[in-house]
Amino acid sequence: MNIPRLIFTLVVSLLLAFPINAQSIREQDIRAELGFLASDAMQGRGSGTVFERIAAEYIGSQFRQFGLEPGGDTDSAGNKNFVQRVPVESAPSGATWNAIGVLRGSDPREAIMLSAHLDHLGVNDAAPGDDKIFNGADDDASGSVAVIELARALATGKKPRRTIYFVCFGSEERCGAGSRHFIDNPPVPLTQFVADLQFEMLGRPDEKVAAGTLWLTGFERSDLGPVLAKNGAALVADPHPEQHFFQRSDNYPLALRGVIAHTISSFGLHTDYHRASDDVLKIDFPFMTRSLNSLVRPIQWLVDSDFRPAWLPGQAPVRG
Ligand SMILES: [Zn+2]
């Protein structure tokens, strides 16, 4: 092998071994993770149940595989875990369970949060029909998988400037205890969180927006959505303002505390919402893969940029 050729081969191998840009998200990974989380074996991931805990441990094991830092509890031996136990007296397991992974940035002053809720409605023997398991494939296994897959993609890129917290909350469907605990005991002061994107019900396309598109709740409230869209995100305004979705997910308590926090979704008001029929069979995996991939580079840009999103004049939410 001659010298120029050798150098060329070395450069190509190095580029392959150390990719600069985040990897793209693969449909087979989404299918694997969503298929497990929304399987009957997971018994609907009821808020505060042992199945919610298993979901959290599973998500934590994925975060570990991607090389994230654990952001959960420290055990008696001093080992840090990916799962955080939050005591909830009334919960079936006496607690709710968050999964937290951290991709440490080079600038310790600023952080971004990507979040979802990992719990759903569990099993209801009084539900009509034969199917008693509320699998919550769209609500919100789809959002949890979005967070997992964005973690996988962003962890393969170069070290980000801002630290990224990947967080799946427990008990959103019941009392919001998982996110409330996180907000009241944040790993860094809330003022360091430049933005939170919450992922909720994006497993099926919404006919009200263009094909392959997701929407952002409260799009008109801040400059975050428009700037992400300008950077290539297939992201538009929420076409269902009458539903007040901005106020209906875990982004809202954060937004009330000043964090620029929105929810990304494609919920087209399908009738499987909070029914046992919210099943894996109804998930549109090619849609999910395509729309999530449109977010990878814009989010990578956001974590590396100096851009600090802000509420537009008079648009910051206030406790009503
Ligand atoms: Zn939900």
Side-chain angles (χ1 to χ4, degrees), residues 34 137-140 142-143 200-205 214 265-267 270 282-285 287-288:
L34 205 149
D138 197 19
D139 184 12
D140 190 24
S142 70
E200 172 95 67
M201 303 186 74
L202 34 74
R204 298 161 64 167
L214 300 166
S265 176
S266 62
F267 175 42
H270 59 70
K282 309 260 176 69
I283 297 296
D284 183 338
F285 288 102
F287 159 75
M288 234 187 118

Side-chain angles (χ1 to χ4, degrees), residues 117 119-120 138-140 172-173 200-201 249 273-274:
H117 70 90
D119 66 309
H120 192 55
D138 197 19
D139 184 12
D140 190 24
E172 190 267 358
E173 301 281 17
E200 172 95 67
M201 303 186 74
S249 193
Y273 174 71
H274 281 201

Side-chain angles (χ1 to χ4, degrees), residues 17 19 54 72 79 81 119-120 133-134 157 173 224 233 248 250 266-267 278 286:
I54 294 169
N79 299 312
N81 294 301
D119 66 309
H120 192 55
I133 303 174
F134 288 65
E173 301 281 17
L224 179 57
R248 282 171 56 186
D250 280 332
S266 62
F267 175 42
D278 180 3

